[in-house]
Amino acid sequence: MHNPNYDHEHLRPKSWSHLPLDLLISVFERLSFANYQRAKSVCSSWYSASRHSVPKNQIPWLILFPEEEDDNNNNNNNNNNKEKNFSCTLFNPEEKHKLYKTQDLGVEFAKSVCIATYGSWLLMRDPRLYPLYYMYIVNLFTHERIDLPPVDLLWKDYEICVASHKRTWYRGISIRSPVFWIDEKTKDYLVVWGFRDWCVVYFKKGDTSWNQIPQTSDCFHMVYKDHKLYFLSYIKGIFKIFDFSRETLQQTFQSCVRVELFRLGRQLRLPSNSWRIRATQLVVTVTGNVLKVETWYRGRDRSLSFRVFKVYSSGGFIKKPEQIYSLGDEFMLLDQGITVLANNTDGFIRNSIYFSTSHGQNTNDIFIFNLETQETERLLHTLFDSSSIQFSRVQWFLPSFIHT
């Protein structure tokens, strides 16, 4: 049968738009995020092929948030705010010395604080309604937004709990270790965070109010991955795993994990050349193992070091945490609580920990700690020239691929 789209003499398509679908899919699955977005815009057939594929080469990007505005200055310069562009700066490590700007995200976004990321979605907290706060989810590229319900109703239960235990009642909401997940196609979502030391609450699409997870007081750190919530308390070091993949929330695992707390008053008496623990976090690996990561600090030269322990194995129970000295071909995004496979071409260093540390109330910087050499390097200034960019905070995120 004659096909006008092909040159039978040379057995090849007459144009790039007529390449076979299976070949296009194979190409799309090998592209970086930026090249994927460019390629799907070539023509209708390439766009159609992109909808049948998801690139395997997903690597973290950096997001630089716009500087926060001073409320006092805003009162005198409202007109200037209307003209100012509140956009974020994005950096893709595969494209050295090249930065991207998002569209204007508005004054409300600039005044909000990003407290968690999932794919290209950000969980934002607007502190202007203190002590209640206000939270919403927004997509960095499409500007899709999901407003979360207020937390006023939680106060009543919290007050009853505090009164019954004769504890001190605090004003304001302390949001501990917030995590969330969202499905790009269905827009199903789940948001989880610790309400002070009282309990962990969650809200998913279709709910009418925040729900409490039983027996989750003293929330210390949480990670959410593959429909599982990994929870760690700080009083008794209770480690639990909750399964959100079913209609009814179920706890599937519990054990004890030792948590060393940073007691400022006592540890300040230690010599300046002594190492003391600064933080403890959970990290879930690519294969589903759970690690406990301890951050150690030395005051004399402000050095940081890390100790990593395996506390849970996806293949079976671990009776006693075991210290590990290598992540193999993976690197760790400590702030996100996950590991990612390293690719020889993406610039990320295997067996390393990528993390941020704060310089002040709303500023931070990016560092890398090499587990093999035990050396720390400040990373941001080596990636690109950030001196000409005004930003308040910077953090890693894993961009998700959206079919629009």
Side-chain angles (χ1 to χ4, degrees), residues 287-311:
T287 57
N289 295 328
V290 181
L291 310 177
K292 180 185 76 169
V293 182
E294 295 178 347
T295 304
W296 289 76
Y297 174 77
R298 185 169 61 189
R300 180 184 62 188
D301 52 6
R302 297 184 179 181
S303 297
L304 290 175
S305 184
F306 296 87
R307 296 179 185 176
V308 182
F309 301 85
K310 183 190 290 186
V311 297

Side-chain angles (χ1 to χ4, degrees), residues 149-151 153-154 157 189-195 198-214 216 229 244 247 249:
V151 297
L153 297 178
L154 291 174
D157 292 337
Y189 64 89
L190 172 73
V191 180
V192 188
W193 52 281
F195 190 137
W198 174 42
C199 69
V200 172
V201 297
Y202 69 93
F203 185 90
K204 63 181 186 298
K205 184 179 179 180
D207 287 344
T208 57
S209 62
W210 292 95
N211 306 282
Q212 298 180 29
I213 301 180
T216 52
L229 178 70
F244 276 88
E247 285 190 19
L249 173 64

